[in-house]
Amino acid sequence: MTQEQKYNEAVEILKNHLRQKHLRCTQERLVIVEQICSYKNHFTAEQLSEDLQHKLHLSTATIYNTLLLLEDCGLIRKLESQAGTRFAQYELLHE
């Protein structure tokens, strides 16, 4: 599956979830999903934040809230922290 196909599928899942929760589909959420779909491996919220700095300014709270929302709709999964790691890692589930 191409990155564009992953993104389109993820956006549809997100939009359906947001409709059910009566939430808006914001530019910030879409940019975060786009960046997550570009990763080939696990990622951290900190890595996501750094990678998005050049696209638009997002607060740390926005990133973490969006990650929780994406977990809730089944797009990503938070991985258990391993000994010696400082940051939680996430992975895209729909590939």
Side-chain angles (χ1 to χ4, degrees), residues 30-86:
L30 293 176
V31 168
I32 289 171
V33 169
E34 180 181 25
Q35 185 63 43
I36 289 171
C37 289
S38 75
Y39 293 133
K40 299 202 184 315
N41 296 309
H42 303 135
F43 62 93
T44 65
E46 291 72 18
Q47 177 185 0
L48 183 60
S49 178
E50 287 175 18
D51 292 342
L52 290 173
Q53 280 181 344
H54 69 283
K55 291 186 179 182
L56 72 142
H57 175 72
L58 295 171
S59 70
T60 303
T62 298
I63 290 174
Y64 277 100
N65 288 335
T66 303
L67 289 173
L68 287 172
L69 181 69
L70 297 176
E71 275 186 273
D72 188 43
C73 72
L75 278 175
I76 64 170
R77 175 175 60 186
K78 185 176 182 178
L79 303 171
E80 293 296 320
S81 297
Q82 297 181 5
T85 59
R86 187 171 151 205

Side-chain angles (χ1 to χ4, degrees), residues 3-15:
Q3 182 179 335
E4 183 178 351
Q5 290 170 321
K6 280 196 298 188
Y7 173 72
N8 290 336
E9 182 180 330
V11 167
E12 281 306 308
I13 291 168
L14 176 61
K15 284 182 177 181

